[in-house]
Amino acid sequence: MAAAVLKSLFDKRERALAGAKFRAWWQGVDFDEEAALRAIEADLANPPGEDADDALFDPPPFDMPARLQALVTIWGEGRLRPGDATAEVLEPARMGIASDGVLAFLGAGLAAPLVNVAGAHPGKIDVFEWREESIAALQHGIRVAKLEDRVTVARVDLDAHIWTPATYDGLLSIDDFAYAGHPPHLAHQLFKCLKPGACAVVESYVGLPSPMLATAFASSFAEPQIRPHGDVLQYFKDIGFALESDDDLTAEFLDLARQGFKRLAEALSGSAGVEPAIARELAWEAEAWRVRLKLLSQRRLERRRFVLRRPAEQNAEPPTPAPAA
């Protein structure tokens, strides 16, 4: 018994020391091992509560860029677009992935959608993100949520990345088809990376070409590639996906967006105010969304969710898409 207690204390001490070294490295300061050990010994001798061990390994604060601070002010902590936790929790069940299956998640943006999906799916999750501006914040959110043991993050180019064949038991993609320059390539890769019989849930904007789209997406992280609803369906059909459902989420999405701007109004009316850099980002975002909301309310822009399945036949291979023009 005494040996087990000593081993437990040693493990805590070593873990805490490793955490202190990491924080010093992260903050760019010299590491004083003697001082760190004294502080750790004091913490172990006088534990402040049940969460003491966890607090020792909390990641250092993240310096969120003004652009991302503006977005979370509107859409909520851990979000860079409208989103609903209840819907996100349901995604693993929607695709029918087993609890030990491996899930691919494209376009999470920030951590909140991922955390909700991970709460409903206990298996491994590989995250693929194309926004250079948000990936560090996304990785920080994963550390805060203590998901590093089963969640990996990779930055990808939607028009060039090659996924490993037949790897995933389920796939979730949010907005990727609205920013991919060559969607047949992306559809081909998503089909290929799924195991036969596996399901993909793809959420995206669709709409007819309009000069207003440039303004509506002026604050985006990339040039929008909004395509008609029928064209997007054709990409999936041509590559071999079986369409299980095609849901119109426009009304729900409009409601979430309006809730976001109500949240923004409440934040701006508070006594704390916002920094000038964040205020500028909020102004640009608000103007872009003013036009986007108009297009959505007029149904010139829609929000759709496609539930797609790769055929179960083992020899079902996707045709190679035509090269980008």
Side-chain angles (χ1 to χ4, degrees):
M1 175 64 113
V5 172
L6 286 173
K7 183 179 186 301
S8 174
L9 286 173
F10 176 77
D11 289 344
K12 290 179 180 180
R13 186 180 293 107
E14 290 300 305
R15 288 168 51 208
L17 185 61
K21 287 179 179 178
F22 173 76
R23 284 193 291 273
W25 169 78
W26 184 270
Q27 295 164 3
V29 299
D30 292 333
F31 176 62
D32 186 337
E33 183 169 348
E34 291 186 2
L37 282 171
R38 287 195 297 271
I40 292 166
E41 293 291 350
D43 287 338
L44 291 174
N46 300 286
E50 293 182 359
D51 298 328
D53 281 350
D54 292 337
L56 288 171
F57 294 96
D58 285 344
F62 180 74
D63 186 12
M64 185 83 77
R67 171 92 172 95
L68 299 182
Q69 289 188 56
L71 291 172
V72 300
T73 300
I74 302 173
W75 308 123
E77 192 65 34
R79 296 188 183 276
L80 50 69
R81 60 176 167 249
D84 177 61
T86 301
E88 290 157 357
V89 166
L90 292 174
E91 296 296 8
R94 195 186 313 280
M95 64 186 69
I97 186 171
S99 60
D100 60 348
V102 183
L103 172 65
F105 191 166
L106 281 68
L110 294 179
L114 170 63
V115 170
N116 291 326
V117 170
H121 176 61
K124 188 176 182 337
I125 303 176
D126 290 345
V127 179
F128 301 95
E129 181 56 58
W130 52 268
R131 301 169 185 85
E132 182 179 2
E133 299 88 344
S134 70
I135 194 163
L138 171 60
Q139 291 170 324
H140 175 76
I142 290 169
R143 289 192 294 271
V144 170
K146 296 179 170 54
L147 291 171
E148 306 105 306
D149 60 333
R150 62 187 181 95
V151 175
T152 65
V153 181
R155 182 172 170 242
V156 297
D157 181 337
L158 294 175
D159 294 323
H161 190 74
I162 304 298
W163 273 271
T164 305
T167 300
Y168 296 107
D169 303 282
L171 183 146
L172 177 61
S173 165
I174 303 180
D175 278 343
D176 306 291
F177 278 88
Y179 295 98
H182 188 49
H185 167 82
L186 181 57
H188 176 268
Q189 289 301 313
L190 299 195
F191 185 102
K192 185 179 75 170
C193 78
L194 286 170
K195 295 177 181 178
C199 180
V201 176
V202 175
E203 187 175 324
S204 184
Y205 291 104
V206 297
L208 295 174
S210 166
M212 295 179 71
L213 287 174
T215 303
F217 289 87
S219 60
S220 294
F221 293 92
E223 285 295 317
Q225 304 288 337
I226 313 299
R227 294 173 172 86
H229 179 210
D231 288 4
V232 177
L233 285 173
Q234 194 65 44
Y235 302 143
F236 299 140
K237 180 180 178 181
D238 289 347
I239 220 69
F241 273 119
L243 178 68
E244 294 195 344
S245 70
D246 175 6
D247 306 316
D248 186 350
L249 306 181
T250 307
E252 296 94 325
F253 193 72
L254 268 168
D255 184 56
L256 289 170
R258 288 167 179 151
Q259 290 177 32
F261 281 97
K262 181 180 178 182
R263 186 184 298 109
L264 173 61
E266 293 170 352
L268 294 177
S269 64
S271 58
V274 296
E275 297 177 6
I278 300 174
R280 284 194 297 272
E281 297 287 352
L282 287 170
W284 294 330
E285 192 72 17
E287 175 57 23
W289 270 93
R290 182 185 67 80
V291 181
R292 204 180 304 188
L293 288 171
K294 181 178 180 179
L295 292 174
L296 286 163
S297 63
Q298 294 174 344
R299 292 289 176 155
R300 296 162 69 185
L301 184 68
E302 293 182 344
R303 189 80 175 177
R304 311 292 299 197
R305 179 178 60 220
F306 307 98
V307 179
L308 312 161
R309 191 169 298 277
R310 175 173 175 168
E313 293 81 5
Q314 290 297 321
N315 62 350
E317 290 298 330
T320 302

